[in-house]
Amino acid sequence: MSNFKKYSTYYNLLYQDKNYGEEVEYVEKLIKRHTEIPVTEILDMGSGTGRHDFVFAQKNYRVTGIDLSEEMTQIALSACVKNTEFHTGDVRSIEINKQFDAVISLFHVASYQTTNEDFEKYLQSAKKHLKQGGVFIFDFWYGPAVLSDKPTTRIKRLENTEIKITRLTESEILPNANTVNVNFEMLIEDKETGQLTKTRELHPMRYWFLPEIEYFCKHVGFKIERSYNWFSENKLSLESWYGVLILKKI
Ligand SMILES: C[S@@+](CC[C@H](N)C(=O)[O-])C[C@H]1O[C@@H](n2cnc3c(N)ncnc32)[C@H](O)[C@@H]1O
């Protein structure tokens, strides 16, 4: 079941400052550098509300987005953006009768796959839907950095014309599972009525280490072409909370 049920309503507001445009520029550069085939069709695994996909579509790519959350998918569909299609589904088990020139999976979707079995199925699915010569690009929580610079309690405040949100994030590391339980508690104030609503959501996140990813890749039939600190071309280091990998089919 999706853990984005309540969160989806506030998702675009919570991440209104996230620069999807620049992230697409970055990912497009990596795609162009590492594919051996022309890229026109992209599969987005864990597409959320579709914001990367809308930017890719503006650049004339055709994008298919799959997300576990019915609510997130409905938000993506409601934008009616040409050259995009969205479906609710589990990327670990989807069967699209088609292969794409590139597969992307952005903003920690890989870390939402918390068990070895989940992650292996996620990689298998990406491989099945990727053409030979294409690339699979995804970001993830990078274990060495998560453990050396542990998650802290954070408060974020946001508002639009209708509501004010205060979000408290508290995290607990589960070192024997290589996961972090991220607890979101949100207080939502209706600006017109003053009514307050409180909601909680738990997001278990897996942090990954390169040797284990390498092992899964070999097993599934991928090779790691490059690894970087997310949104840069720097090497992964103890400061890289988020990593990005470029995989190619063997
Ligand atoms: C932090 S959001 C990122 C959404 C989008 N990629 C973005 O950048 O805004 C993580 C998304 O991954 C989706 N997700 C997690 N596991 C999934 C799975 N197994 N199959 C499909 N979607 C999944 C969640 O529903 C959620 O929408």
Side-chain angles (χ1 to χ4, degrees):
M1 206 194 78
S2 166
N3 45 8
F4 273 79
K5 226 171 164 54
K6 297 177 217 142
Y7 204 66
S8 62
T9 321
Y10 309 110
Y11 188 81
N12 284 348
L13 176 58
L14 283 166
Y15 298 109
Q16 65 183 0
D17 296 333
K18 188 170 165 64
N19 198 331
Y20 281 89
E22 282 186 10
E23 290 189 7
V24 167
E25 292 295 327
Y26 171 72
V27 173
E28 185 189 33
K29 198 160 77 183
L30 298 180
I31 291 175
K32 283 190 172 155
R33 191 178 302 158
H34 295 287
T35 39
E36 296 153 30
I37 52 174
V39 178
T40 55
E41 293 208 281
I42 299 177
L43 173 66
D44 185 0
M45 300 203 331
S47 43
T49 55
R51 292 178 60 196
H52 289 113
D53 309 319
F54 302 152
V55 185
F56 273 112
Q58 268 169 11
K59 290 171 165 275
N60 283 327
Y61 294 95
R62 285 196 302 280
V63 192
T64 300
I66 308 290
D67 201 280
L68 198 55
S69 159
E70 172 77 47
E71 293 81 5
M72 298 283 267
T73 307
Q74 281 308 323
I75 295 170
L77 281 169
S78 66
C80 296
V81 174
K82 202 176 137 210
N83 285 334
T84 63
E85 57 177 278
F86 296 98
H87 305 276
T88 305
D90 188 331
V91 293
R92 291 164 296 186
S93 55
I94 37 153
E95 293 281 348
I96 309 170
N97 224 354
K98 181 173 171 177
Q99 288 193 319
F100 295 79
D101 308 315
V103 179
I104 58 171
S105 190
L106 305 173
F107 202 11
H108 319 329
V109 181
S111 285
Y112 279 92
Q113 316 314 310
T114 51
T115 67
N116 292 346
E117 292 73 25
D118 288 337
F119 190 63
E120 191 168 339
K121 285 184 195 154
Y122 167 80
L123 289 180
Q124 267 160 353
S125 181
K127 187 179 169 226
K128 182 164 61 188
H129 294 102
L130 180 65
K131 284 185 193 162
Q132 195 69 37
V135 285
F136 174 37
I137 298 184
F138 68 94
D139 68 279
F140 62 103
W141 284 25
Y142 181 57
V146 172
L147 294 180
S148 67
D149 176 18
K150 297 194 181 54
T152 52
T153 298
R154 280 170 295 138
I155 292 192
K156 190 168 182 176
R157 291 194 176 81
L158 292 146
E159 62 184 289
N160 61 17
T161 48
E162 289 149 29
I163 55 169
K164 262 189 197 171
I165 299 184
T166 308
R167 184 185 73 177
L168 173 69
T169 309
E170 287 175 308
S171 301
E172 180 197 5
I173 297 184
L174 307 180
N176 294 328
N178 286 8
T179 57
V180 178
N181 272 343
V182 182
N183 289 283
F184 292 117
E185 191 176 295
M186 289 194 288
L187 194 63
I188 300 117
E189 183 187 339
D190 184 311
K191 280 184 166 175
E192 201 180 303
T193 62
Q195 193 187 351
L196 291 173
T197 317
K198 202 167 161 183
T199 113
R200 280 167 203 264
E201 220 162 74
L202 171 68
H203 291 211
M205 304 297 289
R206 173 86 180 247
Y207 46 87
W208 293 100
F209 296 86
L210 273 195
E212 56 179 346
I213 297 185
E214 232 158 43
Y215 173 84
F216 285 112
C217 282
K218 246 187 218 155
H219 202 222
V220 164
F222 269 130
K223 67 172 177 186
I224 299 181
E225 180 81 359
R226 286 281 191 288
S227 57
Y228 293 120
N229 183 14
W230 166 249
F231 209 51
S232 78
E233 289 179 18
N234 300 330
K235 275 189 183 163
L236 285 166
S237 74
L238 289 178
E239 278 82 52
S240 313
W241 243 77
Y242 310 125
V244 61
L245 288 182
I246 298 133
L247 306 188
K248 294 186 86 165
K249 281 166 101 160
I250 294 173

